[in-house]
Amino acid sequence: MAEQEAPAPLKSLNSFDPTFISFLNKSSGTAEAWWLNFEGKPVSYGYIQPRASLRMNTYLTHPWIFRASDGAKLLANLGEVYFPTPVQFEHGIPQYQPVNVTAPVYLLQEYCIRLIRSMVRKEDIDKLEIPEGLRKDLSREPDLQRDIQILSAKRSINGSN
């Protein structure tokens, strides 16, 4: 039985096939757009205010991820990672394709952690009378690089591009 080849790491592969994207922030808060460069390192392309858009000239193999201002994950066209699609032309003119950036349905625990972080100073978390597991989750700050490693591992397990 032939061994299945693992998918490429989560990073930009080449700049051969240009495409045009318009990221539309449909979440209720500010979204930050992150391009994953050729080493898999996140590069910020700035913030998108709610109901605003960011037009981007990009390439087919360039992955994008989005985060809320508190570091929580956002989705692009319902996925955690967005890979651009081929350019579309109308009357010979390339069209910016809309990509909706939205908030996922957070688990109750995730929502509570976000809410507590927004209301309680970091140094006061230990003073709260809450379960130790929740206290531990609160002390773990959002980490984009860790999230990218987890997403890469998921791709390897699922064998998806």
Side-chain angles (χ1 to χ4, degrees):
M1 180 179 234
E3 190 173 314
Q4 187 174 5
E5 188 177 317
L10 194 52
K11 64 180 183 177
S12 293
L13 300 179
N14 61 57
S15 297
F16 299 149
D17 300 306
T19 191
F20 305 90
I21 304 299
S22 181
F23 297 119
L24 308 167
N25 183 3
K26 295 198 171 191
S27 74
S28 61
T30 303
E32 186 169 9
W34 294 91
W35 166 61
L36 301 183
N37 72 12
F38 296 97
E39 298 169 354
K41 304 282 188 235
V43 177
S44 176
Y45 268 73
Y47 297 93
I48 312 168
Q49 296 303 314
R51 297 174 305 283
S53 64
L54 172 67
R55 282 186 161 195
M56 191 61 51
N57 299 354
T58 188
Y59 297 89
L60 290 183
T61 67
H62 290 197
W64 292 84
I65 58 177
F66 296 83
R67 291 296 180 263
S69 57
D70 66 355
K73 73 179 175 184
L74 295 173
L75 304 178
N77 281 358
L78 303 178
E80 291 185 56
V81 181
Y82 175 74
F83 284 92
T85 54
V87 65
Q88 302 291 316
F89 291 90
E90 189 173 303
H91 306 293
I93 300 169
Q95 300 299 302
Y96 282 87
Q97 299 172 75
V99 175
N100 294 321
V101 177
T102 57
V105 176
Y106 295 107
L107 297 173
L108 180 58
Q109 182 175 353
E110 292 172 319
Y111 183 80
C112 290
I113 288 169
R114 291 184 74 199
L115 182 63
I116 293 169
R117 278 192 185 129
S118 72
M119 298 175 71
V120 178
R121 293 182 304 183
K122 190 175 182 178
E123 60 269 15
D124 292 336
I125 289 175
D126 286 337
K127 298 175 187 172
L128 297 174
E129 294 183 24
I130 57 175
E132 187 57 36
L134 184 55
R135 188 184 325 279
K136 189 175 182 180
D137 288 343
L138 283 165
S139 67
R140 188 175 340 141
E141 294 289 324
D143 182 339
L144 182 59
Q145 198 62 52
R146 181 182 65 224
D147 291 349
I148 293 168
Q149 290 171 348
I150 291 168
L151 290 168
S152 291
K154 283 182 186 177
R155 282 172 43 89
S156 295
I157 291 168
N158 295 336
S160 62
N161 289 330

